[in-house]
Amino acid sequence: MHVRMLNGGVAAACLVALSLTAGQAAAAAPRAADAPLAARVLTYDAGGSAEFKSAVNRGAAIWNESVDAVELRPVAAGQRANIRVLADNGWPRALPTTLGNGTVYIGRQAVDQGYDTIRISSHELGHILGLPDRKPGPCSSLMSGSTAGTSCTNPYPNAAEKAEVEGNFAGVLAERAPAGRAEVIVD
């Protein structure tokens, strides 16, 4: 994963402010002007995703491979996740509440029609990361969703989709670790 650059004094001040206002922040030593900026960490709970759990984990890994400004991690036991992932018998959908937060449904209806579970997972997580549907669209566009057809198994965002997510999370100063945990991402 690549990381951004930020002045150490500003980063340290913002980390203190985050810990006072949100109760969650990453601990960090002062950084040099050329030190990397940590990605925003979003946790997800795939416990309710039933038979789609491995597809959800792969969809999250694809986003982690594709963008620098945000990282998706499974939630730690006893912690509250930013993203809840559930399986149901309907059509796949995402219900974002705020950027990086919400509920994803991996609907069996689309799977039964032949749509790829990893593409569905990656697409729906894209909505939580702030991306809209782009229908109709080609298979090369992850956010084209079902309009690319059942033969499309591409689970990767294209360059424009990656750039949009990077822009959505630009300026985020620190990881938002679950309450009670403080850590720094070092890659």
Side-chain angles (χ1 to χ4, degrees), residues 34-54:
D34 61 347
L37 175 64
R40 164 89 183 269
V41 172
L42 301 175
T43 57
Y44 67 94
D45 180 356
S49 63
E51 69 270 29
F52 306 119
K53 187 171 184 174
S54 65

Side-chain angles (χ1 to χ4, degrees), residues 18 38 54 81 143 159 173:
L18 279 172
S54 65
M143 299 315 291
L173 297 176

Side-chain angles (χ1 to χ4, degrees), residues 92-165:
R93 61 206 177 279
L95 303 172
T97 52
T98 58
L99 181 63
N101 296 284
T103 303
V104 165
Y105 292 88
I106 308 298
R108 292 180 182 98
Q109 183 178 353
V111 176
D112 291 346
Q113 291 179 20
Y115 290 95
D116 183 73
T117 58
I118 297 172
R119 180 174 168 85
I120 291 169
S121 297
S122 187
H123 172 92
E124 298 305 336
L125 289 169
H127 288 309
I128 301 296
L129 300 177
L131 298 178
D133 280 321
R134 295 206 167 81
K135 297 179 180 183
C139 184
S140 60
S141 169
L142 175 62
M143 299 315 291
S144 67
S146 64
T147 63
T150 56
S151 64
C152 178
T153 60
N154 170 38
Y156 291 91
N158 64 27
E161 293 162 339
K162 291 176 192 179
E164 189 171 346
V165 169

